[in-house]
Amino acid sequence: MKSSLLLLALASTSFVHGQQANPFAPPRASVHFAPDRTCDLLDVDIEVDVDYPNRSIKGRVVNTMAALRSGITEVLLHAGTTLTIDGVRVDGNPATFRRNGRELTIVTGKLTKGKPIKIEIAYAGKNAQGNSFGAGGRGGWHWIRPVETNPDRMGFWTQGETEFSSEWVPTWDYPNDLATSRTRTTVPANWQVVGNGLLTKTVNNGKTKTYEWTMKQPHATYLLNLVGGPFDIKRDMWEGVQLWYVVPKGMGEYIEGSFGDTKDMLSFFSKTFGVKYPWPKYAQNAMYEFSGGMENVSATTLPESSLTEPRDGFRRMASLNSHELGHQWFGDLVTCKDWGDTWLNESFATLLQLLYFEHSRGKDAYDWEVEGAMRGYFAEARRYKRAISTKMYPNGSAMFDSHAYPKGGAVLHTLRMQLGDEAFYGALKDYLTKWRHTPVESSQLRRAFTESTGVEAEKFWAQWIEKPGHPVLDYSWTYDSGKVKLTVKQLQDTSDGTPVYEIPAKVGISSGSEFKMVPVQLSKTEETFEFPADAKPAAVLLDPGHEFLREIPKLNWSAAELPTILKYSPNAPDRSEAMRLMLLDGSPASLELVAQAIRADKAAQPAFRQVTGLSNLAKTEYRPLWLEQLSHPNIERQTQAVVALGKLPADVETTKRLRALVNPKAPIAVVSVSISALAAWDRTANADVFKSALTIKDRRGRIKRAAEDALKPASPFSG
């Protein structure tokens, strides 16, 4: 599940700063274990009739179960409190039942271990309005409502994580049991329904239509899913797997721009982990009123608001899509047994998004994603810290925080860097293969790494997974008599259980055009390392590749080191930080080196994501640089170049270039900022361009709004 890397602090946004507000400490938190089971859930067979005008459903479910112990006389299932239970049968015979909150206890008579029984439940629900994850309230069944601007908008979706599938179907609703499933859903005849597995039957009933979806492979019940409504659907195939791209009616034009890289993701993940995509179908369902993303098995639900078009930027849905697709292996094929090990789902999905960016956009993009993950976690760590894997938590939903997402992703990046790709991916292949279709615990992943690589993973788990916190480092260096002396301090507060870390690290020593990597072993609160050097290095960096999760609050980089770091550091965020510091210096020599670095940064996914530090200086001598950047292959860089030019006085050539950019084929952001720059220069002279822009369409209407603003009379207080 994901909204973005930083929708993440779902459980923590309401807490004040300081460890005293830690939601993972008593009394907010208590010890949780997976609940006991009386039976093994084998199959869930659901029938649902949808009455949209009355916002109600009528259902029947058959839970096929086998007793885990002989002599059991009652079976516990879960049913949302908004559901009415109209009757229960056990193997066709009427049965008594009682309810206590969401617990539904059914009297079965004595059961024999291993012998299947069928518990049939007739139920109904009305006016329940479940929310998507992170939107507040509970999940369950959600009715899509018409709005004034779109009275034909209608339909529904379901949301099961964490324990909300039982809000629309009575069943066992916890991830420590997996089952096959089938859904038969009856809806208005002009609707379509997408569910888990394969579409095995459709029945036309005149005014209604019934869709039967069958999933023959076991999965957790929180991954049960139905979406229904009037849709545009594009179907395709990838290596025998059905692909469904599902969007609201009238939005089919956005399918390619939103999902055109799905096949590449499927191929990359399947090849990387040596385990082919495990389900017979993959549907990506973009739904009104849904936020975030939910990795329902073989049928991910996504927000309609995330749909995009190529002019909006390079594959703007790739982060969300790769995260949710990654869950089809980590979370769906292999599922955490209890929410205390949510990281086995979410940390891996976060890592897979990072890996896909490395594959599709290059190393600089990967470096930036890792940096973003670390920063996202650090923000939460200032409020509270917890172990990634823990039994101490307030509730299952609280586990979906920045420790489970970006911290866990950064820790897995750390493990990857320590082991190397062959060993890391080999262990994950063994893990996915051995435990497929199984609820798992953190220890099973640890054992997979140990057995696959021969490297005892217990030490890594002990400090990175099972304890709170992270390394907080300070380092400095000196050169004297042919030796570099590097002093490293670990500054993290250990009073809350954060350890002093043992970390295999690297030191980068530059003599000019490259960094030589020297291994060191960090293990103390303060230690000094010595390295021979013929001359004073141009720069010395601790962990120049950002190969492990760490915070360095103060970078003791000297002014003399900055040009080398700017040009030769192997890490894009470090190069950008050097650029920022050189701009603060502001000397002509520093500014010229920054301009050269920007000019040389020509990749479609550039190392420098922001060049506004130079543009904010509004120096006319850099006009040729910004005019060059209008042709950069990266849309964000083009946009920043227009903004930079807009800060300069207007001239004939620049005005001509920006007027030409206001066209239906140029990137949306570039068109919008070009309009703003032209309006700031001369609203009257450029009014013809603004009027023509009123007819340029984009998904969110940004160009039209910019043109409307430009055509308004200038404020007497502007300028």
Side-chain angles (χ1 to χ4, degrees):
M1 160 102 39
K2 181 190 182 205
S3 292
S4 71
L5 264 181
L6 295 175
L7 162 113
L8 304 172
L10 299 173
S12 60
T13 51
S14 62
F15 302 114
V16 298
H17 291 276
Q19 294 296 302
Q20 71 275 13
N22 187 347
F24 289 87
R28 290 182 181 270
S30 58
V31 176
H32 287 72
F33 299 98
D36 295 337
R37 297 181 295 142
T38 57
C39 293
D40 180 17
L41 183 66
L42 303 175
D43 183 72
V44 185
D45 193 328
I46 308 164
E47 292 183 6
V48 179
D49 287 338
V50 175
D51 182 353
Y52 183 76
N54 292 304
R55 306 296 193 269
S56 65
I57 60 172
K58 214 161 215 198
R60 184 186 72 87
V61 59
V62 176
N63 289 283
T64 301
M65 314 184 77
L68 293 169
R69 302 178 296 279
S70 294
I72 288 168
T73 59
E74 295 182 339
V75 171
L76 173 67
L77 295 175
H78 303 105
T81 55
T82 61
L83 294 179
T84 59
I85 306 300
D86 297 326
V88 176
R89 291 178 175 269
V90 176
D91 287 337
N93 300 310
T96 59
F97 62 92
R98 62 183 184 274
R99 303 187 70 175
N100 180 18
R102 66 187 291 264
E103 294 184 350
L104 175 63
T105 302
I106 298 153
V107 178
T108 59
K110 280 192 177 182
L111 301 180
T112 302
K113 179 179 178 179
K115 182 180 179 181
I117 62 169
K118 293 184 181 295
I119 299 177
E120 179 182 346
I121 304 169
Y123 65 97
K126 185 174 176 63
N127 290 327
Q129 190 67 355
N131 290 319
S132 51
F133 198 88
R138 305 172 67 84
W141 188 283
H142 180 93
W143 298 103
I144 297 170
R145 298 150 293 192
V147 294
E148 185 176 344
T149 56
N150 188 356
D152 296 325
R153 192 172 89 165
M154 60 186 65
F156 68 87
W157 44 259
T158 66
Q159 167 59 34
E161 196 171 44
T162 51
E163 299 163 41
F164 298 130
S165 287
S166 53
E167 295 295 315
W168 66 274
V169 55
T171 190
W172 178 260
D173 197 6
Y174 200 84
N176 64 342
D177 202 353
L178 311 185
T180 57
S181 64
R182 179 170 61 173
T183 56
R184 288 184 295 279
T185 311
T186 301
V187 295
N190 62 337
W191 287 21
Q192 295 126 303
V193 174
V194 181
N196 309 107
L198 293 176
L199 181 62
T200 46
K201 187 188 294 185
T202 57
V203 179
N204 235 317
N205 313 305
K207 292 185 178 181
T208 63
K209 196 171 185 178
T210 301
Y211 292 83
E212 179 183 276
W213 288 87
T214 304
M215 173 55 81
K216 294 183 178 180
Q217 297 157 282
H219 58 87
T221 53
Y222 77 86
L223 299 170
L224 281 168
N225 178 249
L226 291 172
V227 299
F231 297 140
D232 284 344
I233 298 177
K234 177 183 176 181
R235 297 180 60 176
D236 203 347
M237 294 288 290
W238 171 84
E239 296 189 10
V241 174
Q242 294 184 18
L243 301 181
W244 290 57
Y245 307 113
V246 182
V247 299
K249 197 73 176 175
M251 295 190 183
E253 64 184 292
Y254 302 117
I255 287 175
E256 175 57 31
S258 301
F259 305 118
D261 48 359
T262 297
K263 288 184 179 180
D264 184 58
M265 292 179 188
L266 285 161
S267 296
F268 172 67
F269 290 152
S270 295
K271 180 179 179 181
T272 298
F273 299 111
V275 177
K276 186 182 177 184
Y277 174 80
W279 315 108
K281 172 201 98 248
Y282 189 53
Q284 290 165 293
N285 306 318
M287 304 302 296
Y288 286 120
E289 300 174 13
F290 194 85
S291 62
M294 181 61 216
E295 66 277 7
N296 310 297
V297 62
S298 80
T300 286
T301 310
L302 301 159
E304 162 273 335
S305 59
S306 292
L307 293 174
T308 187
E309 55 187 308
R311 291 164 55 233
D312 204 21
F314 180 72
R315 294 295 181 193
R316 295 297 291 271
M317 279 193 76
S319 175
L320 177 61
N321 290 344
S322 57
H323 180 104
E324 302 306 335
L325 177 57
H327 271 307
Q328 300 296 319
W329 284 266
F330 296 93
D332 293 7
L333 180 61
V334 177
T335 306
C336 67
K337 192 181 78 171
D338 65 81
W339 301 119
D341 274 332
T342 294
W343 82 282
L344 295 175
N345 298 7
E346 297 301 344
S347 300
F348 272 100
T350 300
L351 175 72
L352 266 63
Q353 182 264 309
L354 307 184
L355 294 175
Y356 184 71
F357 270 43
E358 181 181 43
H359 159 75
S360 61
R361 306 185 184 201
K363 180 184 180 299
D364 287 343
Y366 179 77
D367 287 348
W368 275 113
E369 293 301 302
V370 171
E371 182 73 9
M374 291 187 188
R375 292 179 184 177
Y377 155 66
F378 294 150
E380 184 170 270
R382 286 189 281 274
R383 295 193 297 273
Y384 68 86
K385 293 183 285 185
R386 68 167 178 88
I388 290 177
S389 175
T390 180
K391 299 294 184 185
M392 179 71 71
Y393 53 92
N395 54 68
S397 295
M399 291 300 299
F400 293 78
D401 63 357
S402 290
H403 286 68
Y405 287 78
K407 182 186 182 182
V411 166
L412 289 171
H413 158 78
T414 302
L415 184 58
R416 177 197 178 196
M417 294 296 105
Q418 287 190 15
L419 292 176
D421 283 359
E422 182 179 4
F424 182 75
Y425 295 137
L428 292 180
K429 178 182 179 181
D430 292 348
Y431 168 73
L432 292 169
T433 301
K434 183 173 183 178
W435 300 112
R436 63 190 295 138
H437 305 309
T438 306
V440 294
E441 300 173 276
S442 181
S443 60
Q444 288 163 279
L445 176 64
R446 184 187 70 205
R447 182 173 177 180
F449 270 99
T450 297
E451 292 180 349
S452 177
T453 67
V455 177
E456 179 53 61
E458 190 168 0
K459 181 186 291 187
F460 187 93
W461 250 244
Q463 63 179 4
W464 292 106
I465 306 297
E466 296 166 351
K467 292 181 181 178
H470 59 277
V472 180
L473 306 179
D474 179 78
Y475 74 95
S476 59
W477 66 277
T478 59
Y479 177 78
D480 185 47
S481 303
K483 289 183 179 180
V484 173
K485 288 187 178 182
L486 174 75
T487 299
V488 182
K489 299 178 182 179
Q490 295 196 37
L491 305 177
Q492 64 270 18
D493 179 6
T494 58
S495 65
D496 60 0
T498 300
V500 174
Y501 287 82
E502 295 186 31
I503 307 168
K506 294 185 180 74
V507 177
I509 301 176
S510 174
S511 58
S513 61
E514 63 179 2
F515 278 84
K516 177 184 176 183
M517 301 301 169
V518 182
V520 295
Q521 182 73 23
L522 305 182
S523 61
K524 300 175 183 178
T525 54
E526 182 174 347
E527 48 202 327
T528 299
F529 306 92
E530 293 187 357
F531 316 102
D534 294 334
K536 183 178 181 179
V540 175
L541 296 177
L542 175 64
D543 185 32
H546 292 220
E547 294 186 356
F548 60 91
L549 172 66
R550 81 292 195 282
E551 187 176 11
I552 305 178
K554 183 180 180 182
L555 290 169
N556 299 313
W557 296 348
S558 69
E561 290 179 279
L562 295 179
T564 298
I565 298 171
L566 172 73
K567 192 170 183 179
Y568 298 116
S569 170
N571 180 265
D574 275 0
R575 295 182 64 199
S576 290
E577 179 62 13
M579 176 181 287
R580 185 186 72 82
L581 294 172
M582 292 176 72
L583 287 169
L584 288 177
D585 168 64
S587 68
S590 291
L591 296 184
E592 183 54 33
L593 287 173
V594 167
Q596 290 175 14
I598 292 171
R599 183 173 279 115
D601 189 30
K602 297 179 179 180
Q605 299 297 322
F608 303 114
R609 289 193 168 180
Q610 289 288 338
V611 295
T612 52
L614 184 62
S615 69
N616 287 340
L617 300 178
K619 290 182 174 291
T620 56
E621 58 262 41
Y622 294 120
R623 187 189 299 271
L625 169 64
W626 302 126
L627 287 170
E628 289 174 22
Q629 297 296 300
L630 294 177
S631 301
H632 197 283
N634 181 267
I635 289 177
E636 285 73 21
R637 179 64 65 81
Q638 295 172 32
T639 304
Q640 292 173 46
V642 173
V643 172
L645 290 166
K647 295 178 184 295
L648 305 178
D651 69 3
V652 174
E653 180 186 0
T654 307
T655 301
K656 182 179 179 181
R657 291 283 297 275
L658 266 57
R659 283 174 60 90
L661 287 173
V662 182
N663 68 75
K665 294 184 179 180
I668 294 165
V670 171
V671 176
S672 299
V673 295
S674 294
I675 291 171
S676 298
L678 292 167
W681 286 336
D682 194 330
R683 289 174 183 266
T684 303
N686 294 301
D688 60 320
V689 173
F690 306 151
K691 290 176 182 177
S692 68
L694 292 172
T695 62
I696 300 177
K697 294 182 179 180
D698 66 270
R699 169 148 165 69
R700 294 171 178 82
R702 291 167 58 191
I703 295 174
K704 183 179 180 181
R705 288 195 297 274
E708 289 172 341
D709 288 343
L711 287 167
K712 294 176 182 176
S715 168
F717 301 103
S718 63

